[in-house]
Amino acid sequence: MKKEILINSVGNEIRIAITEDGRLAELFVETPEKERMVGDIYFGKVAKVMPGIQAAFIDIGMQQDGFLHFSDISSYQDEFNTMLDDDDDDDDGTDEGEGNGAPARPKPAPKRLREDRRREVNLQKGQEIIVQVTKEPVGKKGVRVTSQVSLPGRFLVLLPFDGKVGISKKIVSFKERRRLRRLVRTILPQGFGVIVRTNAENQDETLFLQDLESLLKTWHDIEATAKNERPPALLYKDMATTSSVIRDLFSEQVEHVVIDDKKLYREIKSYVKTVSPEMEDRIEQYGKRQPIFDSFGIEKEIATLLTRKVWLKHGGYIIVEQTEAMVVVDVNSGRYAANKEQEENSLRTNLEAAREICRQIRLRDLGGIIVIDFIDMSDERNRKKVYDEVKKEFKRDRAKHTILPLTEFCLMQITRQRQRQSIIHSFTEPCPTCGGSGNIQSKTTILSNIERWMQRFRAESGERRLRLRLSPTMAEYMSDGRFFNRKNRLAFRFRTLLTIEPDKSLPIDEFQFVSVKQDKDITSEFTT
């Protein structure tokens, strides 16, 4: 499979496209307003502990507290607490506060006791804690955090206080796994663990040492910063999206990295020259006049991300509906060979749809619960074929996921780890008129609301003169016609002198009533 990374920079926006065999497979967008947060490490304070939902909320200085599930609390929390202590010489088993009301931190328990209570949770409100962002805010939900801190490098992921050595499952050679494990154990300082990344396969020991030294220096800087800061505070900012993509995804399988920005090209070239000099010649600067995404056919594929309907090659199509709770995908046969045998036709459409749906899930970065409504098939063997096809396509996906077999109604349930907002949020924002719902009140409903308001007004007020401010569209609707238009009918019914004022700043489904006598907006006074 041919893989390429294409990077387009325009103004403050950077777009990174990853293609597989010439087709867009993943897309990342980086803007100042939507800065990458996953991987950032914070010195926080427990704001609330809620055993009922097995979670705590951590104040890390954001508008919304971070969500920490009990399962994401580190087994080495005592070691983290010890790291934060400035004075380890007290004999009474606790440290004194530092004069600002901070709660005393307990001394670490003996190792045997720590082992016994690793599954217990002992968080208290006000307790200081180091956490790392694992999932960016989605909708009204804040970031998700973990106290199991890790630092990713090019070839290694450093695990402070964790002595284990793990090897990427994608490295399948037993001989290579054994070599890497032995190599890491010879260079790893006591008290640290690592996970060896896929990029490390067949790499030289020198590159390992460089990567490890860089990670250890970063961790020691974090330790020093934590001892001099009071929560909430940012201790470590992970790489920006562009740099993290190069660090994490630029592997032997990637044939080219093409960049259309000179400054960015020099930065990436310099980074790769340091960490993987043998791959430096794969970094290319794009120099054609035609925009890079147009030249590689990416721009047309991006346009499909903003649509609900995605056509399949042979005439079928899928509908993608995204809600806050889940994503629903509907498969339709469309024009696909309607004259063929139904079961065979349904299987072919479902198999083609399965491949495209898996691609769209990765491309749009859809997460949470995903339900796919495939075309009905009565043969259980055909349902198994579709299930196997989805599992095969998901092998390309780096996100953690679970796929359940099709039900007898041909419904498939998928859960997929979500670390950031769906890519559609990078290109769109909620409509100021409908609030993102896609629907607004009809004109007749707005008129009924106006009538009810005037009815309450006349029942409680003796005033007779009103100015009604409406959007230009609604103002035209009210004044449409001659004498017996809607505005005059309201004035006659409620015996009120009513004047219409178009206001471009008002959404179509909002209105404002102004008292002529008081010269002020009185809408809220007679609204339920």
Side-chain angles (χ1 to χ4, degrees):
M1 179 176 59
K2 178 183 177 182
K3 293 185 69 172
E4 292 179 311
I5 298 177
L6 312 173
I7 302 177
N8 166 233
S9 176
V10 177
N12 291 326
E13 182 185 73
I14 298 175
R15 299 183 298 173
I16 307 108
I18 299 175
T19 66
E20 295 174 352
D21 293 330
R23 295 198 72 194
L24 183 62
E26 293 185 67
L27 182 68
F28 302 88
V29 180
E30 182 180 356
T31 62
E33 304 85 45
K34 297 179 180 177
E35 193 175 17
R36 184 176 186 268
M37 300 172 64
V38 172
D40 294 354
I41 299 176
Y42 286 86
F43 190 14
K45 185 178 288 188
V46 178
K48 190 184 300 182
V49 180
M50 302 185 70
I53 61 172
Q54 295 285 291
F57 289 89
I58 312 298
D59 177 12
I60 55 176
M62 297 183 181
Q63 187 174 3
Q64 294 170 301
D65 293 335
F67 178 85
L68 173 64
H69 194 271
F70 287 172
S71 63
D72 292 323
I73 295 177
S74 173
S75 303
Y76 301 91
Q77 196 59 50
D78 291 329
E79 284 84 343
F80 278 97
N81 291 338
T82 302
M83 182 196 82
L84 295 172
D85 289 335
D86 291 325
D87 184 3
D88 291 332
D89 297 326
D90 293 320
D91 295 326
D92 59 357
T94 60
D95 291 334
E96 297 179 359
E98 299 178 10
N100 60 354
R105 303 186 185 103
K107 284 287 186 181
K111 183 176 181 181
R112 180 176 56 81
L113 294 180
R114 291 203 306 269
E115 294 288 342
D116 292 340
R117 71 185 192 197
R118 277 188 176 182
R119 293 190 179 275
E120 298 179 12
V121 173
N122 187 25
L123 289 182
Q124 297 178 352
K125 183 177 180 180
Q127 179 179 337
E128 296 174 356
I129 186 171
I130 292 178
V131 294
Q132 186 170 31
V133 177
T134 60
K135 185 184 295 185
E136 294 182 352
V138 178
K140 297 180 181 179
K141 298 177 183 178
V143 297
R144 181 159 181 165
V145 298
T146 178
S147 67
Q148 301 174 21
V149 175
S150 62
L151 288 176
R154 173 73 173 154
F155 306 111
L156 304 171
V157 177
L158 185 68
L159 308 174
F161 307 121
D162 190 336
K164 73 177 181 183
V165 174
I167 309 290
S168 168
K169 293 180 180 179
K170 293 184 179 179
I171 300 177
V172 295
S173 168
F174 175 78
K175 184 178 180 180
E176 178 63 8
R177 292 176 68 88
R178 185 173 59 181
R179 182 189 78 89
L180 291 171
R181 193 178 297 277
R182 287 177 177 174
L183 176 59
V184 168
R185 290 196 183 281
T186 60
I187 64 175
L188 190 63
Q190 187 175 2
F192 288 91
V194 295
I195 297 173
V196 181
R197 308 188 71 172
T198 309
N199 290 344
E201 189 169 15
N202 300 319
Q203 295 294 339
D204 187 76
E205 179 181 354
T206 305
L207 297 175
F208 272 60
L209 280 169
Q210 291 176 353
D211 203 30
L212 181 60
E213 288 174 3
S214 175
L215 292 172
L216 288 171
K217 180 182 182 304
T218 301
W219 176 248
H220 293 319
D221 289 344
I222 291 172
E223 284 184 311
T225 304
K227 291 177 181 179
N228 295 315
E229 290 281 357
R230 303 308 305 166
L234 176 65
L235 300 179
Y236 167 76
K237 182 71 182 170
D238 197 17
M239 289 182 170
T241 302
T242 306
S243 302
S244 66
V245 166
I246 297 299
R247 178 192 67 193
D248 299 339
L249 302 182
F250 184 33
S251 62
E252 290 290 342
Q253 288 73 40
V254 178
E255 295 186 5
H256 303 283
V257 177
V258 188
I259 308 149
D260 68 355
D261 181 81
K262 291 182 180 179
K263 181 181 177 182
L264 203 54
Y265 164 76
R266 289 194 295 268
E267 291 175 359
I268 293 174
K269 184 103 170 171
S270 175
Y271 171 74
V272 173
K273 185 177 181 179
T274 302
V275 299
S276 298
E278 75 283 358
M279 298 175 70
E280 182 187 358
D281 58 351
R282 302 189 190 189
I283 311 296
E284 302 176 10
Q285 183 177 347
Y286 183 78
K288 298 179 182 178
R289 289 188 176 183
Q290 187 182 22
I292 182 172
F293 277 16
D294 289 354
S295 178
F296 285 85
I298 301 299
E299 209 67 65
K300 290 181 179 179
E301 295 200 56
I302 292 177
T304 66
L305 297 179
L306 307 180
T307 63
R308 294 169 59 248
K309 180 184 288 189
V310 179
W311 285 98
L312 304 176
K313 185 177 180 180
H314 294 93
Y317 62 90
I318 61 174
I319 299 290
V320 182
E321 291 283 4
Q322 189 171 357
T323 70
E324 190 168 339
M326 66 170 61
V327 177
V328 179
V329 184
D330 186 31
V331 180
N332 296 275
S333 59
R335 303 185 301 269
Y336 196 140
N339 60 334
K340 289 190 176 182
E341 200 272 326
Q342 183 176 351
E343 183 78 6
E344 180 186 352
N345 177 44
S346 297
L347 175 61
R348 291 185 179 182
T349 305
N350 284 338
L351 288 173
E352 185 179 8
R355 292 186 284 270
E356 184 60 32
I357 289 169
C358 294
R359 175 173 169 267
Q360 290 292 328
I361 287 173
R362 290 178 61 202
L363 193 49
R364 301 182 187 221
D365 201 14
L366 303 176
I369 300 173
I370 303 170
V371 177
I372 306 172
D373 182 9
F374 285 103
I375 301 171
D376 287 344
M377 296 179 296
S378 57
D379 193 331
E380 186 176 348
R381 292 172 299 180
N382 290 337
R383 295 199 292 268
K384 177 72 164 52
K385 289 179 182 178
V386 174
Y387 172 61
D388 291 340
E389 188 71 19
V390 172
K391 286 202 302 181
K392 185 189 76 173
E393 291 296 318
F394 257 94
K395 288 182 179 179
R396 303 182 183 185
D397 195 359
R398 292 176 292 112
K400 294 179 181 178
H401 55 269
T402 302
I403 306 168
L404 298 182
L406 276 72
T407 68
E408 59 180 311
F409 302 111
C410 279
L411 295 175
M412 175 180 282
Q413 300 173 69
I414 299 173
T415 59
R416 183 176 184 268
Q417 182 187 43
R418 176 168 50 197
Q419 292 188 337
R420 57 193 172 108
Q421 288 192 344
S422 167
I423 195 68
I424 195 170
H425 291 99
S426 300
F427 296 109
T428 64
E429 59 185 30
C431 168
T433 300
C434 70
S437 69
N439 298 290
I440 58 173
Q441 293 181 359
S442 66
K443 296 183 181 67
T444 55
T445 300
I446 300 168
L447 178 58
S448 298
N449 291 338
I450 292 172
E451 287 191 43
R452 282 189 282 269
W453 188 96
M454 292 190 68
Q455 189 173 7
R456 288 190 289 269
F457 169 77
R458 288 295 292 120
E460 300 177 31
S461 173
E463 294 185 39
R464 300 282 184 175
R465 299 177 63 194
L466 291 170
R467 293 200 303 270
L468 175 57
R469 291 175 180 163
L470 296 166
S471 69
T473 301
M474 195 63 197
E476 183 180 357
Y477 176 75
M478 293 288 289
S479 305
D480 187 32
R482 296 189 178 181
F483 182 76
F484 287 108
N485 57 35
R486 295 174 181 86
K487 186 263 293 185
N488 289 339
R489 288 174 184 170
L490 283 178
F492 180 78
R493 177 183 173 188
F494 296 107
R495 300 183 184 279
T496 303
L497 183 60
L498 185 64
T499 305
I500 299 289
E501 292 183 356
D503 187 338
K504 293 182 179 179
S505 66
L506 285 176
I508 189 172
D509 55 356
E510 289 187 17
F511 59 85
Q512 293 178 353
F513 276 101
V514 177
S515 165
V516 175
K517 181 179 180 180
Q518 302 175 62
D519 193 25
K520 72 171 187 177
D521 185 347
I522 59 171
T523 312
S524 61
E525 296 179 23
F526 302 97
T527 301
T528 55

